[in-house]
Each structure stands twice: as C-alpha cells, then as structure tokens.
Amino acid sequence: MSSEAERFWNPTNFTRNNFSSSSVVIFDRKAKLLQRERAANLQEVHLYDYIKEEIGFRLADRIKDIKRKFNRVVDLGCGRGHASKNISPDSVKELICSEMSPTWLEQVTCNEGMKVSKEVLDEECPKFEENSIDLIMSNLSLHWVNDLPGLFEKVRTSLVKDGVFMASVFGGETLYELRSSLQLADLERRGGLAPHISPFIDVRDIGGLLNRAGFTMLTVDTDEMVIGYPSMFELMWDLKGMGENNAAFNRPLHLGRDVSIAADAIYKRLYGREDGSIPATFQIFYFIGWKPDASQPKPLKRGTGQISLKDLHRLDEIVKDKKEISLEDENTKK
C-alpha cells in the first residue's frame, strides 16, 4: 500500500458504527483498497480497462440525455476516470472525482473547459454537505459497498432538490459461468463450497432500495456483455488487473492448483465454444433516481382519466377529433 493510501486508511472510519443497524458487513474494504492499489501500479494498467471504459462511456452518454447543465457533479468511486473522461463541459461546470485508491485517482484525466478536483474518499462513507450537489454518478463501484441503503440515503441528502443519482453496477448474473465452474470443482476436489465470487445485487432490489431512500421517477435497465477468453486463467488474470478480485471477508485466501485446473476443465466442458475459447458474462444495471421536488411531474389522481382502456382501439379517432367525445353516450347507443 502506498504511503498516501496508508494515511487515508483509518480503521476508526470504517467500523460497523458507520453502517445502519440492519446492514451486514460482507466486504473487506481494506482488502479492496489494496487490490485497487496493486492494479493501479501494474505496468500496463490500461490493458484491463476495456469493460469499465465501455460502461463508463455509456453512463456518461446518459448525462447528455438530461437537458440541463449541472453546476456540481460527483463521480463516486471514479476508478481511473472511465466515466469522468467522457463528461462534456457542455453538461457540467464543476466535476469532483472521488476514489479510495490514491494511485487510481492520480491517473484520472478529464476534458478541459470545466473545473475538476480530486478527492481521496471511500465511496462507502461519502462526506458532502447537504443540498450541495446537482448530480452524483458512479461507474461499476457500488457492488463493493456494504451498506447500500445507508449510502443511498447519504446520496439523497447530499443532492439539491430535483438532483440526480445515476449509476452503473454489476448485476447478479455477472460471471455465473465462472461461479458455477468453481463451485463444481470445489465439490469434486474438496467436498464443499467456498465463496470464490463476491455476491452481486439483483435488479429487483435496486428499485426497492432507491424507493426506500426517498428517490422518485426511477428508471432501471439492464445490459449484458459477453467477452471471450482463451481460458479461465486469462479471465481471472484480467479481473485482478481491473481490481475486481474477490474482497468478501469469508473468501478463501488461496485457490488450490487442483481446484483451479478442475474448474478450467469444467468451464470449457460446460460453456466452451467451438474455437476453444470460453465466454464470460457481465450483467450491468443502469439506474437513475431523482431527489423529490415540487416542480417534478406527478401522476393524476385515480378516477380523473377521460379515456377508458377498453376504447384504446379508438385512440386515433379521439386524438383527431378536437371536440370532446362522450364515450359513455356512444357505448349506451350501442
């Protein structure tokens, strides 16, 4: 760990007292910091950016769909700036890049034309003033957060009214091929299971968590990337280079040679392609939520609709006719 990372890491800041009473501490945040620092110091670190680069571009592109210019934007858990580098100064005046890995943060580059600042900050415990930020975004980082309900609440509090929370996160089907192959290999070689792959969030939980935190006008959509690798070993090597190796507290510290060889054979047997390569699935959830504000559109009260669903076949006629059509009278004549 670098000297700056050691200064940043203070165990008293990352205790269970920072979490809600209902949260369960699953991930070792200190281990994740070490993994990110090691990944950041690789000689050819850019070779492992291909997934985060693509998803970061797609996430940043969604900011352009919101027709407004944001005064202050935070990229929470920005990594090496995979999303920040694609943010246009036409959409953002001030960008704050925050990341727990100091070395990753140093490697962030952004477009000119907007004010950019960098802050070493654990995305699990963000500390921003209330009602001070217009947009908080996060690219493929939230799946390592222990207390998502608490984080979502802190994000909502930090946003101004009608502020936006936008993020991408790995979904539950991510690396299902690798997970099942390692499980079968464990059963065969050791007669039990070990958590080699960290758990991921399910799409049904995201909407519930956002609602619970008080966000409105929610949108969640799913994407999927399937990437081919020569074998399981190249996949695991790339995951380590991305800083995405397992950080669960109950993870096994070592993967035995017998288990890894067996898992590779099982992987190729169950999922292998005709050319000898293997596929690895990455499921990505994109979501957006808004902090409530009186200016936001609201649904009409029940019973105020003027068109019945049973008359949808007459919608073109209703729209073309400038006069009001009494649907009840016409149904009565029939």
Side-chain angles (χ1 to χ4, degrees):
M1 187 185 298
S2 67
S3 58
E4 187 175 354
E6 290 177 349
R7 290 195 299 270
F8 161 69
W9 183 263
N10 182 353
T12 60
N13 293 332
F14 304 95
T15 63
R16 289 176 181 268
N17 295 330
N18 289 305
F19 306 134
S20 65
S21 58
S22 61
S23 65
V24 178
V25 180
I26 300 173
F27 304 114
D28 185 345
R29 297 293 296 176
K30 185 173 183 179
K32 180 49 59 182
L33 174 59
L34 286 169
Q35 292 169 359
R36 290 180 178 180
E37 282 289 290
R38 289 169 185 158
N41 286 288
L42 292 175
Q43 186 174 3
E44 297 181 321
V45 61
H46 62 280
L47 294 178
Y48 308 98
D49 287 343
Y50 50 93
I51 294 177
K52 293 184 178 181
E53 286 277 6
E54 178 62 26
I55 304 304
F57 173 79
R58 298 181 187 184
L59 181 66
D61 189 59
R62 293 167 183 244
I63 297 178
K64 300 176 183 177
D65 295 333
I66 304 176
K67 305 304 181 183
R68 70 167 68 170
K69 186 161 186 176
F70 298 97
N71 293 320
R72 297 188 71 202
V73 174
V74 172
D75 189 353
L76 193 62
C78 64
R80 291 186 355 98
H82 307 100
S84 296
K85 66 189 296 183
N86 296 298
I87 294 179
S88 170
D90 295 334
S91 302
V92 175
K93 290 183 179 180
E94 179 183 357
L95 175 63
I96 303 171
C97 299
S98 64
E99 168 58 46
M100 69 185 298
S101 168
T103 309
W104 262 3
L105 193 61
E106 290 175 2
Q107 298 169 352
V108 174
T109 58
C110 299
N111 291 319
E112 297 181 355
M114 58 184 172
K115 181 181 178 182
V116 178
S117 59
K118 300 179 181 180
E119 183 175 350
V120 179
L121 176 72
D122 187 351
E123 61 267 29
E124 193 165 68
C125 307
K127 298 178 181 178
F128 300 110
E129 295 181 4
E130 294 185 10
N131 306 308
S132 63
I133 302 168
D134 298 273
L135 166 65
I136 294 180
M137 58 182 293
S138 180
N139 180 52
L140 299 180
S141 179
L142 300 183
H143 56 286
W144 295 117
V145 171
N146 284 293
D147 185 16
L148 273 178
L151 172 63
F152 285 7
E153 175 64 27
K154 292 175 182 176
V155 168
R156 185 189 61 79
T157 302
S158 302
L159 290 171
V160 300
K161 291 185 177 180
D162 202 31
V164 187
F165 181 32
M166 179 185 300
S168 61
V169 62
F170 284 124
E173 295 299 315
T174 297
L175 298 176
Y176 74 88
E177 304 98 336
L178 179 60
R179 178 185 286 107
S180 60
S181 298
L182 288 170
Q183 289 175 345
L184 291 173
D186 266 334
L187 285 172
E188 178 190 357
R189 299 292 177 170
R190 299 182 179 177
L193 297 178
H196 297 289
I197 307 297
S198 297
F200 298 103
I201 193 170
D202 188 83
V203 66
R204 293 170 295 183
D205 298 327
I206 293 179
L209 290 173
L210 290 170
N211 269 318
R212 172 180 171 181
F215 288 96
T216 62
M217 299 191 297
L218 309 179
T219 302
V220 182
D221 58 283
T222 305
D223 198 359
E224 187 175 280
M225 296 177 63
V226 181
I227 300 174
Y229 295 88
S231 72
M232 184 191 77
F233 302 105
E234 285 80 7
L235 167 59
M236 297 180 70
W237 185 262
D238 279 15
L239 290 174
K240 185 177 181 180
M242 299 174 197
E244 293 297 327
N245 31 336
N246 195 353
F249 273 111
N250 61 346
R251 69 192 184 280
L253 297 180
H254 301 285
L255 179 63
R257 179 177 297 180
D258 57 338
V259 174
S260 60
I261 293 176
D264 181 55
I266 293 171
Y267 204 134
K268 290 181 178 178
R269 178 66 176 176
L270 294 179
Y271 307 105
R273 296 168 172 171
E274 293 182 358
D275 60 359
S277 66
I278 59 168
T281 299
F282 295 86
Q283 185 183 42
I284 301 96
F285 299 145
Y286 300 93
F287 66 82
I288 181 172
W290 299 73
K291 185 171 181 177
D293 184 65
S295 63
Q296 294 172 351
K298 296 177 176 59
L300 296 174
K301 295 182 180 179
R302 292 179 60 88
T304 58
Q306 298 182 357
I307 301 176
S308 173
L309 288 175
K310 66 182 179 180
D311 296 297
L312 285 179
H313 66 284
R314 298 180 53 242
L315 188 60
D316 291 340
E317 176 187 346
I318 296 173
V319 172
K320 290 179 180 179
D321 197 334
K322 296 181 181 180
K323 299 180 180 179
E324 293 184 358
I325 298 177
S326 177
L327 300 178
E328 294 183 357
D329 292 343
E330 182 170 335
N331 291 334
T332 302
K333 293 179 181 178
K334 292 182 179 179

